[in-house]
Amino acid sequence: MDSTQADYNRDLLDFIGNGPTSFHAVHHLCELLAPHGFTELTEQEQWGPLPAGAYFVRRNASSLIVFTLNDMEVQSGLRMAGAHTDSPGLKIKPRPGRINNSYLQLGVEAYGGSLLTTWFDRDLSIAGRVVWRDKKNNVRSGLINFKRPMAIIPSLAIHLDREANEKKSVNKQTDLVPILTQAENETPAFETMLQHQLEAEHQAEFPEILDHELFFYDCQPPSRIGLQNEFIAGGRLDNLVSCYTLVRSLLDSRENHNVLIVLNDHEETGSMSTSGAQGNFLQSVLERLFPESEARQCTLSRSVFISTDNAHGVHPNFSDRFDKEHLPLLNRGPVIKFNANQRYATNSRTSSFFRMVCERAGIPVQEFVMRSDLACGSTIGPLTAGQIGVPVVDIGIPSLAMHSIREMAGSSDVCYLYEAFRTFFGLGPDDSIWQCLNP
């Protein structure tokens, strides 16, 4: 790995380490955008016709749309791409405190399709959003991150469960209850812990907690691993790798084309929310940018959307779970995802388009199809294609241990993905690659 790749991996892992929730990920992405001349817009205000420039808008502090406008190219279509900001995990319940045998525990819900067995025996911290009322009766909200080990879910000793290595069932209600501290007769106020953190991070005096959206996360930071640092490992690689890469490649593309990036929350739970891909966030922004319906549809028909979400790399211990003709390997390039039932939105034109983008960028590309006798996951790609009628290709870097508390990917693949999107965002309106979409 050369120094440029090493630097990119370091910056990426720093971002992931500072993004324990979708709220934090969006916050740090906005901090990247602002110094590069991007203006923040709010949905509560009228935009009017926007001059050529660079903009971003947030919804629910957990979803983000970033776009650049060039008046001279408005009829040539948009270079669109999308990913999701959320990851499977454990969300703290509204009234979480419970005492069992002198241990204070916090009840949780499983958010998304977590690989639950990986959450045992890990150093866990807490982060998320809190809404409170201050001493002047003003209602405020803000992010908190304890950043230190606070809880653990201990496994039951093998002596008390001799079949533990043969069975893998986890009861989400009774088995996944983190231990926070020891207590005797009454539950120490969970709110008191939050109040102290708000005082430390937001200088809030005597805050009255109204509600919270808090998650546990693994304290171990992401890292490069392998004999030659050829892998990265960490929590939330799916899909913060894609979120960071999209924004970073746009900032580094050095071109002034029409680009739009959408980063949706709640993909891991079906995307049905105001800030999810089944909500109207993207549609609303497009209607504001292109108020006239027919002109908007013409623009979208000349556009393409690349949905990027981590793909399944072939697992060396379980290669029988993969279609033998489609075995994506780590560090061999991004993967084009195919599914006959449109769980992925790729078609022959959009896949050809992405192949040519990768060829132009000088990077390899792979393919993935799920075994025909196994259920296939999905992405925001089909939802976006159905909602706005834009051609879509589903791609992603290959990974192992997807939805584990700690996932694994190739350190070269994240750089390949960056080069692919930097090339995509830099395509001129008359580039021959666009012919793939209308041969």
Side-chain angles (χ1 to χ4, degrees):
M1 179 184 298
D2 61 30
S3 60
T4 301
Q5 288 184 325
D7 289 344
Y8 187 81
N9 272 261
R10 182 200 63 228
D11 294 343
L12 169 65
L13 296 184
D14 284 346
F15 167 75
I16 294 173
N18 287 311
T21 71
S22 56
F23 304 114
H24 289 82
V26 167
H27 173 77
H28 288 297
L29 288 172
C30 292
E31 287 187 330
L32 281 178
L33 292 165
H36 287 82
F38 282 76
T39 300
E40 181 167 13
L41 306 172
T42 65
E43 293 190 276
Q44 292 79 12
E45 298 177 350
Q46 295 186 8
W47 296 356
L50 292 173
Y55 304 90
F56 67 93
V57 56
R58 293 179 251 198
R59 180 177 281 192
N60 191 42
S62 62
S63 290
L64 177 69
I65 290 179
V66 183
F67 57 93
T68 58
L69 296 176
N70 180 340
D71 290 339
M72 301 301 294
E73 297 181 9
V74 70
Q75 296 301 320
S76 66
L78 298 170
R79 297 143 191 83
M80 305 177 70
H84 64 87
T85 60
D86 61 323
S87 300
L90 301 182
K91 185 179 182 182
I92 297 177
K93 292 182 177 181
R95 297 173 61 87
R98 61 184 72 172
I99 292 180
N100 287 319
N101 296 297
S102 298
Y103 292 106
L104 171 61
Q105 298 177 276
L106 297 181
V108 298
E109 291 182 280
Y111 177 91
S114 295
L115 194 58
L116 296 176
T117 56
T118 65
W119 281 81
F120 289 89
D121 308 316
R122 306 292 300 189
D123 295 346
L124 303 178
S125 190
I126 296 172
R129 180 169 66 179
V130 180
V131 180
W132 73 94
R133 182 162 46 205
D134 65 21
K135 64 180 182 180
K136 295 182 180 180
N137 211 35
N138 297 314
V139 176
R140 300 179 56 195
S141 67
L143 308 185
I144 62 171
N145 184 2
F146 285 86
K147 295 184 179 181
R148 67 176 181 85
M150 300 185 65
I152 193 169
I153 307 173
S155 296
L156 182 63
I158 189 68
H159 314 79
L160 304 176
D161 186 4
R162 292 291 183 181
E163 298 180 355
N165 291 325
E166 281 70 47
K167 63 181 183 181
K168 294 184 178 180
S169 63
V170 176
N171 186 300
K172 297 176 183 179
Q173 175 68 19
T174 59
D175 296 347
L176 288 173
V177 191
I179 294 174
L180 187 67
T181 188
Q182 288 185 302
E184 292 300 331
N185 298 319
E186 61 183 50
T187 303
F190 177 61
E191 290 188 2
T192 301
M193 183 182 75
L194 299 184
Q195 288 169 343
H196 290 329
Q197 193 66 20
L198 288 173
E199 291 168 357
E201 293 195 53
H202 296 277
Q203 291 73 55
E205 295 186 51
F206 309 108
E208 176 191 352
I209 307 297
L210 298 177
D211 221 323
H212 56 79
E213 295 166 88
L214 298 172
F215 296 82
F216 282 104
Y217 71 92
D218 183 13
C219 285
Q220 184 178 357
S223 62
R224 287 183 291 169
I225 63 172
L227 187 62
Q228 299 176 1
N229 285 329
E230 63 266 51
F231 308 118
I232 59 174
R236 304 173 302 285
L237 300 189
D238 173 20
N239 194 21
L240 293 189
V241 167
S242 298
C243 293
Y244 179 80
T245 300
L246 288 177
V247 172
R248 177 71 179 270
S249 57
L250 174 59
L251 295 178
D252 295 346
S253 65
R254 304 179 186 276
E255 301 291 344
N256 187 26
H257 298 307
N258 291 321
V259 172
L260 186 146
I261 295 169
V262 56
L263 306 177
N264 287 119
D265 195 4
H266 302 137
E267 189 273 345
E268 298 293 0
T269 58
S271 296
M272 180 57 78
S273 70
T274 59
S275 51
Q278 291 201 66
N280 74 337
F281 188 26
L282 176 57
Q283 181 70 33
S284 173
V285 169
L286 289 170
E287 289 175 355
R288 288 186 174 209
L289 296 181
F290 309 103
E292 205 282 308
S293 176
E294 187 170 4
R296 182 171 64 253
Q297 293 307 315
C298 288
T299 298
L300 289 173
S301 69
R302 300 186 183 105
S303 304
V304 64
F305 187 96
I306 302 179
S307 167
T308 175
D309 197 349
N310 288 9
H312 294 291
V314 60
H315 196 303
N317 300 341
F318 302 95
S319 57
D320 61 317
R321 298 299 182 93
F322 295 78
D323 186 287
K324 66 178 182 177
E325 305 301 330
H326 303 88
L327 303 173
L329 295 171
L330 271 58
N331 291 315
R332 301 294 173 83
V335 177
I336 303 175
K337 306 177 184 180
F338 297 87
N339 181 259
N341 296 302
Q342 288 297 289
R343 298 293 289 171
Y344 304 130
T346 305
N347 61 41
S348 59
R349 289 179 174 178
T350 58
S351 63
S352 297
F353 175 85
F354 187 73
R355 289 183 197 279
M356 292 192 69
V357 168
C358 292
E359 181 181 84
R360 179 73 59 82
I363 64 172
V365 66
Q366 307 181 81
E367 301 83 24
F368 174 77
V369 177
M370 182 69 78
R371 276 182 60 116
S372 299
D373 54 357
L374 292 178
C376 181
S378 191
T379 71
I380 67 170
L383 299 175
T384 304
Q387 284 208 338
I388 65 174
V390 65
V392 173
V393 56
D394 270 295
I395 64 101
I397 63 167
S399 63
L400 299 177
M402 187 182 291
H403 288 195
S404 168
I405 197 172
R406 195 166 181 85
E407 300 167 319
M408 179 177 170
S411 55
S412 293
D413 283 331
V414 298
C415 299
Y416 289 148
L417 190 67
Y418 165 81
E419 292 297 341
F421 279 109
R422 198 160 68 98
T423 300
F424 170 56
F425 293 145
L427 291 178
D430 300 320
D431 198 292
S432 61
I433 295 180
W434 295 105
Q435 297 174 9
C436 289
L437 300 176
N438 190 28

